[in-house]
Amino acid sequence: MNGNLTIGKAMRWWEKVTHPNMREVESAQDLAYSLLNAGDKLVVVDFFSPGCGGCRALHPKIAQFAERNPDVLFLQVNYEKHKSMCYSLHVHVLPFFRFYRGAQGRVSSFSCTNATIKKFKDALAKHSPDRCSLGPARGLEEAELLALAANRDLEFTYNEKPTLVPIAEAIQMEAASIGGPWMPLPAAATQPLTLGSENGSLIPSGR
């Protein structure tokens, strides 16, 4: 029994090399909150599987990138533990990575191996923390949030954001409503104005 436990512990290769800015995601809600609370920080979401040889071979290099970039947050999603969540997020190939950055939301999405690690390196350099992203963190796409909320296998709640009406349209709707705060303007006042030629005064163009 003890031997089996020892072997099981040794198989957890993704826990062998970690850094303070690397952690495993516990749930879909955890992933969504982590992205929203990351502020302007670049977040790399690493989808892996314990039985994926490519994931295991690539992990030491990902850990090196994490060590060299302490301002970047690396979130690991275990496919075997979160298959239903991965399905809702349309992750069907491993290893797979998604990069998120502040108000921009998802900025990159790709699969790579040791042979194509340049993809990862280039994405990390392109979206590095020294480039400012203004506004609150966007996190997951709304379509992804809706898919997670609709997934009955997950305990995930999402309150849809209210639809924003453009200010000009809102004013027009308010003015046109019964008992609106504004009276219609006189016809003359709504005519285009042109500059008079004699004394520079503004006169209605209809005169």
Side-chain angles (χ1 to χ4, degrees):
M1 184 67 180
N2 290 336
N4 291 336
L5 290 175
T6 302
I7 292 173
K9 184 70 175 179
M11 289 179 65
R12 300 173 72 88
W13 51 263
W14 61 95
E15 294 179 346
K16 284 186 176 181
V17 183
T18 60
H19 300 286
N21 57 332
M22 297 176 69
R23 74 172 184 85
E24 190 173 341
V25 168
E26 298 297 329
S27 65
Q29 204 81 55
D30 180 24
L31 175 62
Y33 283 154
S34 296
L35 291 173
L36 286 178
N37 293 328
D40 189 44
K41 183 178 292 187
L42 177 63
V43 182
V44 176
V45 183
D46 173 7
F47 296 88
F48 75 96
S49 172
C52 169
C55 302
R56 182 170 186 168
L58 191 60
H59 179 71
K61 288 190 176 180
I62 301 302
Q64 287 180 0
F65 283 124
E67 183 179 18
R68 296 170 187 169
N69 299 271
D71 293 330
V72 177
L73 177 60
F74 288 75
L75 298 177
Q76 300 169 291
V77 178
N78 187 330
Y79 182 85
E80 296 304 321
K81 289 174 61 177
H82 304 291
K83 283 184 180 180
S84 191
M85 176 176 72
C86 292
Y87 178 81
S88 293
L89 296 177
H90 302 291
V91 175
H92 305 297
V93 61
L94 299 173
F96 194 76
F97 301 91
R98 281 185 176 162
F99 285 55
Y100 295 84
R101 180 69 194 278
Q104 300 174 56
R106 189 169 72 194
V107 293
S108 190
S109 182
F110 57 88
S111 177
C112 78
T113 62
N114 268 328
T116 56
I117 192 63
K118 189 176 183 299
K119 280 186 188 179
F120 191 98
K121 187 176 181 180
D122 290 346
L124 199 60
K126 181 178 181 180
H127 306 292
S128 59
D130 59 344
R131 301 181 63 182
C132 185
S133 170
L134 300 178
R138 182 177 177 182
L140 294 173
E141 301 288 335
E142 185 170 10
E144 294 173 328
L145 293 168
L146 290 172
L148 291 173
N151 190 329
R152 295 182 179 180
D153 294 333
L154 304 174
E155 293 183 2
F156 184 86
T157 56
Y158 170 60
N159 297 320
E160 293 186 52
K161 299 176 182 178
T163 303
L164 297 179
V165 179
I167 185 65
E169 184 178 341
I171 293 175
Q172 186 178 24
M173 292 170 60
E174 180 69 15
S177 64
I178 299 176
W182 297 292
M183 295 294 291
L185 293 173
T190 60
Q191 295 181 10
L193 298 179
T194 57
L195 186 63
S197 58
E198 296 181 359
N199 55 8
S201 60
L202 291 174
I203 59 174
S205 59
R207 290 180 62 182

